[in-house]
Amino acid sequence: MPNNKNAYPQFPFDATKVIIYGGGGLSKMIIEAVRVQGVYQIVGVIDDNLKKGDEIIGSPVLGGADVLGDLFNQGIRTAVNSVGGISDYKVRLEVFQKLAKAGFISPVIVHPTAHVDPSARLDAGVLVLAQSYISGNAKIGMGTLINNSVVISHDCILGVCTNFSPGAMIAGDATVGDFTQVGMNATINIGLHVGTECLIGNGATVKKDVPDGTRIYAGQIWPPFQTKKDRIV
Amino acid sequence: MPNNKNAYPQFPFDATKVIIYGGGGLSKMIIEAVRVQGVYQIVGVIDDNLKKGDEIIGSPVLGGADVLGDLFNQGIRTAVNSVGGISDYKVRLEVFQKLAKAGFISPVIVHPTAHVDPSARLDAGVLVLAQSYISGNAKIGMGTLINNSVVISHDCILGVCTNFSPGAMIAGDATVGDFTQVGMNATINIGLHVGTECLIGNGATVKKDVPDGTRIYAGQIWPPFQTKKDRIV
Amino acid sequence: MPNNKNAYPQFPFDATKVIIYGGGGLSKMIIEAVRVQGVYQIVGVIDDNLKKGDEIIGSPVLGGADVLGDLFNQGIRTAVNSVGGISDYKVRLEVFQKLAKAGFISPVIVHPTAHVDPSARLDAGVLVLAQSYISGNAKIGMGTLINNSVVISHDCILGVCTNFSPGAMIAGDATVGDFTQVGMNATINIGLHVGTECLIGNGATVKKDVPDGTRIYAGQIWPPFQTKKDRIV
């Protein structure tokens, strides 16, 4: 009997509703991706620095982090983290921690023009934006942001909250540590290990392993000094 | 009554037919994009330098600009400008002016593998070719040519007849002036202003604002001279 | 009469079954592409260096080249070459020769997120992986591997077993000789001729013709020495 509450499990949340945490520029790409993915309805945007009643391309600002409790009580349990953390990579992690503490989970969002091979594994909170590709057997760590037209090749392992800017390409069998950011159209060669908390600038060409915390400037070749003999194609 | 001409508005043109203006190499990409978009039937190609009766991948050459009047009288009002203007950027604008004067409008063409976010705005004559992406709240000026695998990120504002070559990436909140051309796999960083009539070469890495009329050579980093202290990731 | 064997031609092979030759990292991308293309069922993987009974993302290893005869006798005639040959470009050709000798043909594989214009021509064994684009009137030689997010522009002519890594971009009217390998996010300018057996590194910027056998290092601009006067955008 459909009216008998005991006939099937009762879930205390609305599986179709989502909030967007963070109302900066990146949120416009995320909101569009969530809408076109066609799975979730966006209730609104949470941002401590925006006014309640403002809107981001048609989605209302609901307030700051202080409204998370109310939303939880309304049965909302799903939140997309749209804080990119380009200038301060730990901010993105802090948002995930705040959301988890408030009882929210972060789904994977994959834009319909992106493609994730079935043998790849994406942890919670991973975003794969338009035109990107995650290849066979790749493993993508919690909260990683794969921006547009990125390629993560076969067997790559990416850490927590790594960030790949548009056009970044990483060849097969490479590993990238937590919080590392890879700039637009940068390349990382096959089988390399890039450490944690690295900043790889736009257009950089990475040919050898990169130690933790390294900063590679935009347009540079890594390693920085090479005699002709050392050069690697 | 369907046979009563006054029962509904009469339009003096055929909404499904289009001509392609310009029969150079670029026109092959444009013709394929128009065909696969599935909206317009291509009547033929207009090109002063080709012979009537020639064909471009199966579409007939109809003649030069002198046949525009005849086509107008046949009820054709829609023309796609396939003159790229890579070597002489003003040529593309002149074609739009010629078409407008002859009574033709230029539609937006978006390849089915490209994606334009609904919150973006495209002016007349904008072409978005295969695998490209125009992000949330971007504004693309009249006649701009977005070639393959280009990313125009959130909130970017592009001028009239700008030209983005394959793989060019522009981060969010950037502006690009009229007629500026951006080379293959070049990158423009977040929030920058690139002036009018700039030429940015293939693989260039743009890290600071670019004044009007600047030429940045292929593979170069902009700005060109940097002490270590000035470097920006 | 359907039971009359003479009523229609009898083919001695199973048109839906395919084997994958080569079980290295690249094979994971190829296997995923074949599966999602939805045309062929993968019988298994052939690799002299893997153990029979191993599996590659769910597809069983059948043995080495010595089992090709058995497979042929079972009616299997179609084989996808997933040996990339990045470090030794002739290996990929040798696999095609071995397959042909054993009576196998190599189909074209195009990932559903890739796009090949109808006026382009692909020879046997060409692979076009996720997010790539082959433009109007291009001609792609036997066995060429177009990896992810590659653009081959209009009228390009590529030789036998060329290899384009993720994000490589080649402008219109260019030609590339047999066995040449083009690195990730490298660019080749419009109308250039690149010779045979060239190695073009990741992020390289090619502005002039490249003689046969040339090696261009990662991140370099070609030609290598330029006075200001010689520079080309």
Side-chain angles (χ1 to χ4, degrees), chain A residues 190 233, chain C residues 26 29-30 81-93 96 126-127 129 140-148 150 152 158-170 176-186 188 194-195 197-202:
Chain A
I190 192 162
V233 166
Chain C
L26 178 66
M29 301 177 68
I30 308 290
N81 181 349
S82 70
V83 174
I86 282 287
S87 50
D88 181 1
Y89 59 80
K90 293 230 164 137
V91 174
R92 184 164 167 81
L93 178 64
F96 281 116
V126 169
L127 306 178
L129 300 184
I140 315 297
M142 196 284 297
T144 279
L145 170 50
I146 305 293
N147 211 304
N148 309 123
V150 168
I152 309 296
L158 311 186
V160 169
C161 290
T162 71
N163 188 320
F164 283 72
S165 290
M169 302 281 147
I170 180 165
V176 175
D178 298 344
F179 306 116
T180 283
Q181 309 199 350
V182 182
M184 293 191 294
N185 277 346
I188 298 172
V194 177
E197 304 186 24
C198 295
L199 273 179
I200 299 177
N202 295 338

Short mmCIF file of all heavy atoms in Angstrom, two decimals, chain A residues 190 233, chain C residues 26 29-30 81-93 96 126-127 129 140-148 150 152 158-170 176-186 188 194-195 197-202:
data_model
loop_
_atom_site.label_atom_id
_atom_site.label_comp_id
_atom_site.label_asym_id
_atom_site.label_seq_id
_atom_site.Cartn_x
_atom_site.Cartn_y
_atom_site.Cartn_z
N ILE A 190 54.54 12.02 -19.42
CA ILE A 190 54.12 10.68 -19.01
C ILE A 190 54.95 10.16 -17.82
O ILE A 190 56.16 10.34 -17.77
CB ILE A 190 54.20 9.71 -20.21
CG1 ILE A 190 53.50 8.39 -19.92
CG2 ILE A 190 55.64 9.50 -20.66
CD1 ILE A 190 53.19 7.59 -21.18
N VAL A 233 62.81 15.27 -24.99
CA VAL A 233 61.70 15.70 -25.87
C VAL A 233 60.40 15.63 -25.08
O VAL A 233 60.20 14.71 -24.30
CB VAL A 233 61.60 14.81 -27.10
CG1 VAL A 233 60.26 15.04 -27.79
CG2 VAL A 233 62.71 15.13 -28.06
N LEU C 26 48.19 2.77 -22.97
CA LEU C 26 47.33 3.31 -24.02
C LEU C 26 46.11 2.43 -24.25
O LEU C 26 45.03 2.92 -24.59
CB LEU C 26 48.13 3.45 -25.32
CG LEU C 26 47.37 3.97 -26.53
CD1 LEU C 26 46.92 5.41 -26.32
CD2 LEU C 26 48.23 3.89 -27.80
N MET C 29 42.76 3.46 -22.77
CA MET C 29 42.00 4.48 -23.49
C MET C 29 41.31 3.89 -24.71
O MET C 29 40.18 4.24 -25.03
CB MET C 29 42.92 5.60 -23.95
CG MET C 29 43.66 6.27 -22.82
SD MET C 29 44.80 7.54 -23.42
CE MET C 29 43.62 8.73 -24.02
N ILE C 30 42.02 2.99 -25.38
CA ILE C 30 41.48 2.40 -26.61
C ILE C 30 40.31 1.48 -26.28
O ILE C 30 39.27 1.50 -26.95
CB ILE C 30 42.57 1.59 -27.35
CG1 ILE C 30 43.84 2.42 -27.56
CG2 ILE C 30 42.04 1.03 -28.65
CD1 ILE C 30 43.74 3.52 -28.54
N ASN C 81 44.91 -1.79 -33.12
CA ASN C 81 46.31 -1.68 -32.71
C ASN C 81 46.42 -0.62 -31.62
O ASN C 81 46.26 0.58 -31.89
CB ASN C 81 47.14 -1.30 -33.94
CG ASN C 81 48.62 -1.19 -33.65
OD1 ASN C 81 49.03 -1.18 -32.50
ND2 ASN C 81 49.40 -1.09 -34.70
N SER C 82 46.70 -1.06 -30.40
CA SER C 82 46.81 -0.11 -29.30
C SER C 82 48.25 0.03 -28.80
O SER C 82 48.49 0.40 -27.66
CB SER C 82 45.89 -0.52 -28.15
OG SER C 82 46.36 -1.68 -27.52
N VAL C 83 49.18 -0.23 -29.70
CA VAL C 83 50.59 0.02 -29.41
C VAL C 83 50.90 1.43 -29.92
O VAL C 83 50.79 1.70 -31.12
CB VAL C 83 51.49 -1.02 -30.09
CG1 VAL C 83 52.95 -0.67 -29.90
CG2 VAL C 83 51.18 -2.41 -29.57
N GLY C 84 51.24 2.32 -29.01
CA GLY C 84 51.41 3.72 -29.39
C GLY C 84 52.71 4.00 -30.10
O GLY C 84 52.78 4.81 -31.03
N GLY C 85 53.76 3.34 -29.65
CA GLY C 85 55.05 3.56 -30.30
C GLY C 85 55.65 4.92 -30.03
O GLY C 85 56.38 5.45 -30.88
N ILE C 86 55.36 5.52 -28.88
CA ILE C 86 55.91 6.84 -28.58
C ILE C 86 57.44 6.80 -28.55
O ILE C 86 58.10 7.65 -29.11
CB ILE C 86 55.35 7.36 -27.23
CG1 ILE C 86 53.93 7.89 -27.41
CG2 ILE C 86 56.24 8.45 -26.63
CD1 ILE C 86 53.82 9.21 -28.13
N SER C 87 58.01 5.79 -27.91
CA SER C 87 59.46 5.77 -27.79
C SER C 87 60.13 5.10 -29.01
O SER C 87 61.29 5.35 -29.29
CB SER C 87 59.87 5.05 -26.50
OG SER C 87 59.21 3.81 -26.43
N ASP C 88 59.40 4.29 -29.72
CA ASP C 88 59.96 3.61 -30.90
C ASP C 88 58.86 3.53 -31.96
O ASP C 88 58.08 2.58 -32.01
CB ASP C 88 60.46 2.21 -30.51
CG ASP C 88 61.07 1.48 -31.70
OD1 ASP C 88 61.11 2.05 -32.82
OD2 ASP C 88 61.50 0.33 -31.51
N TYR C 89 58.85 4.53 -32.81
CA TYR C 89 57.68 4.74 -33.68
C TYR C 89 57.43 3.59 -34.65
O TYR C 89 56.32 3.42 -35.12
CB TYR C 89 57.81 6.06 -34.43
CG TYR C 89 59.04 6.17 -35.28
CD1 TYR C 89 59.07 5.57 -36.55
CD2 TYR C 89 60.15 6.87 -34.85
CE1 TYR C 89 60.19 5.66 -37.34
CE2 TYR C 89 61.28 6.96 -35.64
CZ TYR C 89 61.29 6.36 -36.88
OH TYR C 89 62.39 6.44 -37.66
N LYS C 90 58.48 2.81 -34.97
CA LYS C 90 58.27 1.76 -35.97
C LYS C 90 57.53 0.55 -35.40
O LYS C 90 57.00 -0.27 -36.14
CB LYS C 90 59.61 1.33 -36.56
CG LYS C 90 60.24 2.48 -37.38
CD LYS C 90 60.68 2.04 -38.77
CE LYS C 90 60.93 3.26 -39.65
NZ LYS C 90 62.15 3.16 -40.46
N VAL C 91 57.49 0.43 -34.08
CA VAL C 91 56.80 -0.70 -33.45
C VAL C 91 55.32 -0.72 -33.85
O VAL C 91 54.75 -1.78 -34.12
CB VAL C 91 56.94 -0.63 -31.92
CG1 VAL C 91 56.10 -1.71 -31.25
CG2 VAL C 91 58.40 -0.78 -31.51
N ARG C 92 54.71 0.46 -33.90
CA ARG C 92 53.29 0.52 -34.26
C ARG C 92 53.06 -0.01 -35.68
O ARG C 92 52.11 -0.75 -35.92
CB ARG C 92 52.76 1.95 -34.12
CG ARG C 92 51.27 2.07 -34.37
CD ARG C 92 50.69 3.39 -33.85
NE ARG C 92 49.35 3.61 -34.36
CZ ARG C 92 48.26 3.06 -33.85
NH1 ARG C 92 48.35 2.28 -32.81
NH2 ARG C 92 47.07 3.28 -34.37
N LEU C 93 53.95 0.36 -36.60
CA LEU C 93 53.83 -0.13 -37.96
C LEU C 93 54.00 -1.65 -38.01
O LEU C 93 53.25 -2.35 -38.71
CB LEU C 93 54.86 0.54 -38.87
CG LEU C 93 54.85 0.07 -40.33
CD1 LEU C 93 53.53 0.42 -41.00
CD2 LEU C 93 56.02 0.68 -41.09
N PHE C 96 50.87 -3.46 -37.24
CA PHE C 96 49.94 -3.50 -38.37
C PHE C 96 50.36 -4.56 -39.39
O PHE C 96 49.51 -5.27 -39.94
CB PHE C 96 49.87 -2.13 -39.06
CG PHE C 96 49.01 -1.12 -38.35
CD1 PHE C 96 49.56 0.03 -37.83
CD2 PHE C 96 47.65 -1.32 -38.20
CE1 PHE C 96 48.78 0.97 -37.18
CE2 PHE C 96 46.84 -0.40 -37.55
CZ PHE C 96 47.41 0.75 -37.03
N VAL C 126 43.17 4.17 -38.27
CA VAL C 126 43.25 5.49 -37.62
C VAL C 126 42.39 5.49 -36.36
O VAL C 126 41.26 4.99 -36.36
CB VAL C 126 42.79 6.60 -38.59
CG1 VAL C 126 42.59 7.93 -37.86
CG2 VAL C 126 43.79 6.76 -39.72
N LEU C 127 42.94 6.04 -35.29
CA LEU C 127 42.22 6.17 -34.03
C LEU C 127 42.04 7.66 -33.72
O LEU C 127 43.01 8.42 -33.76
CB LEU C 127 43.00 5.52 -32.88
CG LEU C 127 43.42 4.06 -33.08
CD1 LEU C 127 44.23 3.56 -31.88
CD2 LEU C 127 42.20 3.17 -33.29
N LEU C 129 40.65 9.81 -30.67
CA LEU C 129 40.22 9.62 -29.28
C LEU C 129 39.38 10.81 -28.79
O LEU C 129 39.12 11.76 -29.53
CB LEU C 129 41.43 9.33 -28.40
CG LEU C 129 42.18 8.05 -28.84
CD1 LEU C 129 43.31 7.74 -27.87
CD2 LEU C 129 41.26 6.84 -28.94
N ILE C 140 44.00 11.59 -43.38
CA ILE C 140 44.77 11.04 -42.26
C ILE C 140 45.30 9.67 -42.66
O ILE C 140 44.53 8.76 -42.97
CB ILE C 140 43.88 10.91 -41.00
CG1 ILE C 140 43.05 12.18 -40.77
CG2 ILE C 140 44.73 10.56 -39.79
CD1 ILE C 140 43.84 13.42 -40.50
N GLY C 141 46.63 9.53 -42.62
CA GLY C 141 47.28 8.32 -43.12
C GLY C 141 47.07 7.12 -42.22
O GLY C 141 46.79 7.23 -41.02
N MET C 142 47.31 5.94 -42.80
CA MET C 142 47.10 4.64 -42.16
C MET C 142 47.71 4.61 -40.75
O MET C 142 48.87 4.96 -40.55
CB MET C 142 47.73 3.55 -43.03
CG MET C 142 47.31 2.12 -42.73
SD MET C 142 48.04 1.35 -41.25
CE MET C 142 49.78 1.35 -41.73
N GLY C 143 46.92 4.20 -39.80
CA GLY C 143 47.44 3.91 -38.47
C GLY C 143 47.73 5.12 -37.60
O GLY C 143 48.21 4.97 -36.47
N THR C 144 47.44 6.31 -38.10
CA THR C 144 47.72 7.52 -37.30
C THR C 144 46.88 7.51 -36.03
O THR C 144 45.72 7.12 -36.03
CB THR C 144 47.47 8.78 -38.15
OG1 THR C 144 48.63 8.99 -38.96
CG2 THR C 144 47.23 10.01 -37.29
N LEU C 145 47.51 7.95 -34.94
CA LEU C 145 46.86 8.00 -33.64
C LEU C 145 46.61 9.45 -33.25
O LEU C 145 47.55 10.20 -32.99
CB LEU C 145 47.75 7.30 -32.60
CG LEU C 145 47.38 7.42 -31.13
CD1 LEU C 145 45.92 7.10 -30.87
CD2 LEU C 145 48.27 6.50 -30.30
N ILE C 146 45.34 9.82 -33.24
CA ILE C 146 44.93 11.16 -32.81
C ILE C 146 44.45 11.01 -31.37
O ILE C 146 43.36 10.49 -31.12
CB ILE C 146 43.80 11.69 -33.71
CG1 ILE C 146 44.21 11.68 -35.19
CG2 ILE C 146 43.35 13.08 -33.26
CD1 ILE C 146 45.31 12.64 -35.56
N ASN C 147 45.27 11.43 -30.44
CA ASN C 147 44.95 11.30 -29.02
C ASN C 147 43.87 12.34 -28.61
O ASN C 147 43.19 12.87 -29.47
CB ASN C 147 46.24 11.47 -28.21
CG ASN C 147 46.22 10.66 -26.92
OD1 ASN C 147 45.33 10.81 -26.11
ND2 ASN C 147 47.20 9.79 -26.75
N ASN C 148 43.73 12.64 -27.35
CA ASN C 148 42.61 13.49 -26.87
C ASN C 148 42.80 14.97 -27.18
O ASN C 148 43.91 15.48 -27.12
CB ASN C 148 42.47 13.36 -25.37
CG ASN C 148 42.41 11.93 -24.91
OD1 ASN C 148 43.22 11.51 -24.09
ND2 ASN C 148 41.48 11.17 -25.44
N VAL C 150 42.80 16.85 -29.67
CA VAL C 150 43.65 17.27 -30.79
C VAL C 150 42.78 17.94 -31.85
O VAL C 150 41.62 17.56 -32.03
CB VAL C 150 44.36 16.03 -31.40
CG1 VAL C 150 45.04 16.36 -32.72
CG2 VAL C 150 45.36 15.46 -30.40
N ILE C 152 42.97 18.72 -35.93
CA ILE C 152 43.59 18.64 -37.26
C ILE C 152 42.72 19.51 -38.17
O ILE C 152 41.57 19.16 -38.46
CB ILE C 152 43.63 17.19 -37.79
CG1 ILE C 152 44.23 16.23 -36.75
CG2 ILE C 152 44.35 17.12 -39.13
CD1 ILE C 152 45.68 16.46 -36.41
N LEU C 158 48.15 14.08 -43.29
CA LEU C 158 49.05 13.40 -42.35
C LEU C 158 49.46 12.06 -42.92
O LEU C 158 48.65 11.35 -43.53
CB LEU C 158 48.36 13.17 -41.00
CG LEU C 158 47.63 14.36 -40.35
CD1 LEU C 158 47.14 13.98 -38.96
CD2 LEU C 158 48.52 15.58 -40.28
N GLY C 159 50.73 11.69 -42.69
CA GLY C 159 51.26 10.45 -43.23
C GLY C 159 50.86 9.22 -42.43
O GLY C 159 49.92 9.23 -41.63
N VAL C 160 51.61 8.16 -42.65
CA VAL C 160 51.36 6.86 -42.02
C VAL C 160 51.87 6.88 -40.57
O VAL C 160 52.98 7.33 -40.30
CB VAL C 160 52.09 5.75 -42.82
CG1 VAL C 160 52.09 4.43 -42.07
CG2 VAL C 160 51.47 5.61 -44.20
N CYS C 161 51.05 6.39 -39.67
CA CYS C 161 51.46 6.23 -38.26
C CYS C 161 52.02 7.50 -37.64
O CYS C 161 52.95 7.43 -36.83
CB CYS C 161 52.45 5.08 -38.11
SG CYS C 161 51.71 3.46 -38.36
N THR C 162 51.48 8.64 -37.99
CA THR C 162 51.83 9.83 -37.22
C THR C 162 51.09 9.74 -35.89
O THR C 162 50.15 8.95 -35.72
CB THR C 162 51.46 11.14 -37.96
OG1 THR C 162 50.04 11.29 -37.98
CG2 THR C 162 52.00 11.13 -39.38
N ASN C 163 51.57 10.54 -34.92
CA ASN C 163 51.03 10.44 -33.56
C ASN C 163 50.87 11.83 -32.99
O ASN C 163 51.85 12.56 -32.83
CB ASN C 163 52.01 9.61 -32.70
CG ASN C 163 51.44 9.28 -31.34
OD1 ASN C 163 50.79 10.11 -30.71
ND2 ASN C 163 51.68 8.07 -30.88
N PHE C 164 49.63 12.21 -32.71
CA PHE C 164 49.35 13.53 -32.13
C PHE C 164 48.93 13.36 -30.68
O PHE C 164 47.89 12.76 -30.39
CB PHE C 164 48.26 14.24 -32.94
CG PHE C 164 48.78 14.82 -34.23
CD1 PHE C 164 49.13 13.99 -35.29
CD2 PHE C 164 48.98 16.19 -34.37
CE1 PHE C 164 49.64 14.51 -36.47
CE2 PHE C 164 49.49 16.72 -35.54
CZ PHE C 164 49.82 15.89 -36.59
N SER C 165 49.74 13.89 -29.77
CA SER C 165 49.46 13.78 -28.34
C SER C 165 48.36 14.77 -27.92
O SER C 165 48.03 15.69 -28.66
CB SER C 165 50.74 14.05 -27.55
OG SER C 165 51.65 12.99 -27.74
N PRO C 166 47.81 14.59 -26.71
CA PRO C 166 46.70 15.43 -26.27
C PRO C 166 46.97 16.92 -26.41
O PRO C 166 48.02 17.42 -26.02
CB PRO C 166 46.54 15.04 -24.80
CG PRO C 166 46.95 13.60 -24.76
CD PRO C 166 48.11 13.52 -25.73
N GLY C 167 46.00 17.63 -26.99
CA GLY C 167 46.08 19.08 -27.10
C GLY C 167 46.93 19.59 -28.24
O GLY C 167 47.03 20.81 -28.41
N ALA C 168 47.53 18.71 -29.05
CA ALA C 168 48.30 19.18 -30.22
C ALA C 168 47.34 19.82 -31.22
O ALA C 168 46.25 19.32 -31.46
CB ALA C 168 49.06 18.02 -30.85
N MET C 169 47.79 20.93 -31.82
CA MET C 169 46.95 21.68 -32.75
C MET C 169 47.73 21.90 -34.04
O MET C 169 48.86 22.39 -34.00
CB MET C 169 46.64 23.09 -32.17
CG MET C 169 45.95 23.12 -30.83
SD MET C 169 44.17 22.80 -30.97
CE MET C 169 43.89 21.93 -29.41
N ILE C 170 47.13 21.56 -35.16
CA ILE C 170 47.78 21.83 -36.44
C ILE C 170 46.81 22.62 -37.31
O ILE C 170 45.66 22.22 -37.51
CB ILE C 170 48.27 20.51 -37.11
CG1 ILE C 170 48.95 20.80 -38.43
CG2 ILE C 170 47.18 19.48 -37.26
CD1 ILE C 170 49.76 19.61 -38.95
N VAL C 176 52.19 16.56 -42.76
CA VAL C 176 53.06 15.92 -41.77
C VAL C 176 53.45 14.56 -42.32
O VAL C 176 52.59 13.77 -42.71
CB VAL C 176 52.36 15.78 -40.42
CG1 VAL C 176 53.22 15.00 -39.43
CG2 VAL C 176 52.01 17.15 -39.84
N GLY C 177 54.77 14.29 -42.33
CA GLY C 177 55.27 13.06 -42.91
C GLY C 177 55.08 11.84 -42.02
O GLY C 177 54.78 11.95 -40.83
N ASP C 178 55.33 10.67 -42.59
CA ASP C 178 55.16 9.39 -41.90
C ASP C 178 55.92 9.36 -40.58
O ASP C 178 57.06 9.84 -40.48
CB ASP C 178 55.67 8.24 -42.76
CG ASP C 178 54.92 8.12 -44.08
OD1 ASP C 178 53.82 8.69 -44.22
OD2 ASP C 178 55.46 7.45 -45.00
N PHE C 179 55.32 8.76 -39.57
CA PHE C 179 55.95 8.44 -38.27
C PHE C 179 56.25 9.66 -37.39
O PHE C 179 56.81 9.50 -36.31
CB PHE C 179 57.24 7.64 -38.46
CG PHE C 179 57.05 6.40 -39.28
CD1 PHE C 179 57.68 6.24 -40.50
CD2 PHE C 179 56.20 5.39 -38.83
CE1 PHE C 179 57.48 5.09 -41.26
CE2 PHE C 179 56.01 4.24 -39.59
CZ PHE C 179 56.66 4.10 -40.80
N THR C 180 55.92 10.83 -37.85
CA THR C 180 56.22 12.01 -37.03
C THR C 180 55.31 12.05 -35.80
O THR C 180 54.13 11.72 -35.87
CB THR C 180 56.10 13.28 -37.88
OG1 THR C 180 57.28 13.36 -38.68
CG2 THR C 180 55.96 14.54 -37.04
N GLN C 181 55.90 12.43 -34.66
CA GLN C 181 55.18 12.49 -33.40
C GLN C 181 55.12 13.93 -32.92
O GLN C 181 56.14 14.61 -32.87
CB GLN C 181 55.87 11.61 -32.37
CG GLN C 181 56.15 10.19 -32.91
CD GLN C 181 56.40 9.19 -31.81
OE1 GLN C 181 56.56 9.54 -30.65
NE2 GLN C 181 56.42 7.93 -32.18
N VAL C 182 53.93 14.36 -32.56
CA VAL C 182 53.72 15.75 -32.14
C VAL C 182 53.26 15.74 -30.68
O VAL C 182 52.28 15.08 -30.33
CB VAL C 182 52.66 16.43 -33.04
CG1 VAL C 182 52.47 17.90 -32.63
CG2 VAL C 182 53.07 16.33 -34.51
N GLY C 183 53.97 16.48 -29.84
CA GLY C 183 53.76 16.42 -28.40
C GLY C 183 52.52 17.16 -27.92
O GLY C 183 51.85 17.87 -28.67
N MET C 184 52.25 17.00 -26.63
CA MET C 184 51.08 17.61 -26.00
C MET C 184 51.11 19.13 -26.13
O MET C 184 52.13 19.77 -25.85
CB MET C 184 51.03 17.24 -24.52
CG MET C 184 50.77 15.77 -24.27
SD MET C 184 50.40 15.41 -22.52
CE MET C 184 51.97 15.82 -21.75
N ASN C 185 49.99 19.70 -26.52
CA ASN C 185 49.82 21.15 -26.65
C ASN C 185 50.84 21.82 -27.56
O ASN C 185 51.01 23.04 -27.51
CB ASN C 185 49.83 21.83 -25.27
CG ASN C 185 48.48 21.77 -24.59
OD1 ASN C 185 47.48 21.45 -25.22
ND2 ASN C 185 48.42 22.05 -23.30
N ALA C 186 51.51 21.05 -28.41
CA ALA C 186 52.36 21.66 -29.45
C ALA C 186 51.48 22.27 -30.53
O ALA C 186 50.33 21.85 -30.72
CB ALA C 186 53.29 20.61 -30.05
N ILE C 188 51.42 23.66 -34.72
CA ILE C 188 52.06 23.71 -36.05
C ILE C 188 51.27 24.72 -36.87
O ILE C 188 50.05 24.58 -37.01
CB ILE C 188 52.05 22.32 -36.72
CG1 ILE C 188 52.87 21.33 -35.88
CG2 ILE C 188 52.57 22.40 -38.15
CD1 ILE C 188 52.76 19.88 -36.33
N VAL C 194 55.87 19.51 -42.34
CA VAL C 194 56.70 18.83 -41.35
C VAL C 194 57.09 17.48 -41.95
O VAL C 194 56.24 16.75 -42.46
CB VAL C 194 55.93 18.63 -40.02
CG1 VAL C 194 56.78 17.85 -39.02
CG2 VAL C 194 55.51 19.97 -39.45
N GLY C 195 58.38 17.16 -41.90
CA GLY C 195 58.88 15.97 -42.57
C GLY C 195 58.54 14.67 -41.87
O GLY C 195 57.74 14.63 -40.93
N GLU C 197 59.42 11.21 -39.64
CA GLU C 197 60.21 10.78 -38.48
C GLU C 197 60.72 11.95 -37.64
O GLU C 197 61.82 11.90 -37.09
CB GLU C 197 61.39 9.90 -38.94
CG GLU C 197 60.89 8.70 -39.75
CD GLU C 197 61.99 7.70 -40.11
OE1 GLU C 197 63.01 7.66 -39.42
OE2 GLU C 197 61.78 6.95 -41.09
N CYS C 198 59.92 12.99 -37.54
CA CYS C 198 60.25 14.10 -36.64
C CYS C 198 59.70 13.83 -35.25
O CYS C 198 58.69 13.13 -35.09
CB CYS C 198 59.65 15.41 -37.15
SG CYS C 198 60.35 15.94 -38.73
N LEU C 199 60.37 14.40 -34.25
CA LEU C 199 59.88 14.35 -32.88
C LEU C 199 59.68 15.78 -32.42
O LEU C 199 60.65 16.53 -32.27
CB LEU C 199 60.91 13.70 -31.96
CG LEU C 199 60.91 12.19 -31.82
CD1 LEU C 199 62.03 11.76 -30.87
CD2 LEU C 199 59.56 11.70 -31.28
N ILE C 200 58.43 16.17 -32.22
CA ILE C 200 58.13 17.54 -31.79
C ILE C 200 57.67 17.46 -30.34
O ILE C 200 56.66 16.82 -30.04
CB ILE C 200 57.06 18.17 -32.70
CG1 ILE C 200 57.60 18.22 -34.14
CG2 ILE C 200 56.65 19.54 -32.20
CD1 ILE C 200 56.62 18.75 -35.15
N GLY C 201 58.42 18.09 -29.45
CA GLY C 201 58.18 17.93 -28.01
C GLY C 201 56.91 18.63 -27.53
O GLY C 201 56.32 19.46 -28.23
N ASN C 202 56.54 18.30 -26.31
CA ASN C 202 55.38 18.93 -25.68
C ASN C 202 55.54 20.45 -25.66
O ASN C 202 56.61 20.98 -25.37
CB ASN C 202 55.24 18.47 -24.22
CG ASN C 202 54.94 16.99 -24.11
OD1 ASN C 202 54.44 16.37 -25.05
ND2 ASN C 202 55.24 16.42 -22.95
#
